Amino acid sequence: MNAKHDMPSPDSSRHDRTNVFIVDDHPAIREAVSAAISQRVNMRVSGEARSGAQALEQIKRRTPDVAIVDISLKDMHGLDLIEHIRDVSPSVRIVVYSMYDESVYAERALRAGASAYVMKNKPTTDVINAVESVHGGNVYLSRRMSSRILGKVIRQQDYEVGSTTERLTDREMTVFQMLGEGHTVRDIADKLELSRKTIETYRRRAKEKLGFDTVSELLQYAVQWTYGREGKGRTDDSILSSSTSN
């Protein structure tokens, strides 16, 4: 036997590497995640995108093993992007890397088709661990979130998440979040490719489910929730004004 045939090809490790695609509209985040991935011999960055539209076009063409996706993108909500990725490339495993608390979006992301949820206040090593985990066919969540979801399954009842927003459907939550970020009804309708009347219906349902009497009260809470100001008695009047004027 020729020993030469038993030696691995110089390029064999290259083919064994996990191809990762990064979707985030913040260049600094993409750079930090890319740098962390480049330090791993078993991973490589196969592409990057700053918008949902760019991501879908490239992911469909490149078919990476794992996509790291942000929830908040300028042209598309992350939950919608997750569903679109699953439609065009079902084999791609999805890791959500978001600034939003996992108690609000982790379970929603899993329902949409993601396999992991990592908050941006965690080190990038957590994202790398999540990529390795989902590429191996597993689900990756924090211990706290895993316990909450497991408790919900065991008790077959709603678990306490410390936020009334759990009452909202995914679409109502998306509209609520975008209102809190200062988007007008017209902006939201354009970005979600829905009619203004439909967005107003989601806004009304959110208002009713959260127990508010007026749209202004809903918007004030949405701003406080988005910027973490609940209980501080301070709102951004300019954001409230732009949100209620359309």
Side-chain angles (χ1 to χ4, degrees), residues 70-141:
D70 189 11
I71 282 289
S72 183
L73 298 168
K74 292 181 179 179
D75 69 331
M76 187 183 303
H77 195 275
L79 294 181
D80 291 330
L81 177 58
I82 292 169
E83 293 179 349
H84 290 325
I85 291 174
R86 297 294 294 166
D87 287 339
V88 301
S89 297
S91 64
V92 177
R93 307 286 286 182
I94 301 171
V95 173
V96 173
Y97 190 39
S98 173
M99 63 176 285
Y100 290 102
D101 192 274
E102 60 187 0
S103 64
V104 177
Y105 274 116
E107 191 172 1
R108 296 175 190 272
L110 293 182
R111 286 200 303 264
S115 298
Y117 195 98
V118 180
M119 292 175 58
K120 286 185 176 177
N121 62 356
K122 301 296 182 182
T124 53
T125 52
D126 283 25
V127 182
I128 300 302
N129 291 337
V131 169
E132 290 183 329
S133 182
V134 302
H135 187 48
N138 301 310
V139 171
Y140 185 95
L141 295 169

Side-chain angles (χ1 to χ4, degrees), residues 116-228:
Y117 195 98
V118 180
M119 292 175 58
K120 286 185 176 177
N121 62 356
K122 301 296 182 182
T124 53
T125 52
D126 283 25
V127 182
I128 300 302
N129 291 337
V131 169
E132 290 183 329
S133 182
V134 302
H135 187 48
N138 301 310
V139 171
Y140 185 95
L141 295 169
S142 72
R143 185 172 300 177
R144 180 184 69 159
M145 200 65 219
S146 297
S147 297
R148 284 180 171 173
I149 293 179
L150 181 59
K152 183 178 181 180
V153 172
I154 292 174
R155 294 191 304 270
Q156 288 298 304
Q157 62 185 25
D158 289 339
Y159 56 90
E160 183 179 352
V161 295
S163 173
T164 54
T165 55
E166 185 68 16
R167 303 171 190 171
L168 305 180
T169 65
D170 288 348
R171 186 61 81 186
E172 291 163 357
M173 185 67 207
T174 298
V175 172
F176 173 78
Q177 174 201 324
M178 295 179 76
L179 288 170
E181 292 174 347
H183 297 287
T184 65
V185 169
R186 183 184 294 111
D187 290 338
I188 299 172
D190 290 342
K191 290 188 177 184
L192 299 183
E193 298 183 346
L194 298 170
S195 69
R196 290 183 60 179
K197 184 176 181 180
T198 299
I199 299 303
E200 289 169 352
T201 298
Y202 286 129
R203 184 179 64 180
R204 174 180 55 78
R205 290 177 182 172
K207 175 175 68 69
E208 293 171 352
K209 288 184 178 182
L210 297 177
F212 294 112
D213 295 323
T214 67
V215 170
S216 293
E217 291 175 342
L218 172 69
L219 295 176
Q220 180 174 343
Y221 180 71
V223 171
Q224 292 173 338
W225 179 87
T226 301
Y227 292 95

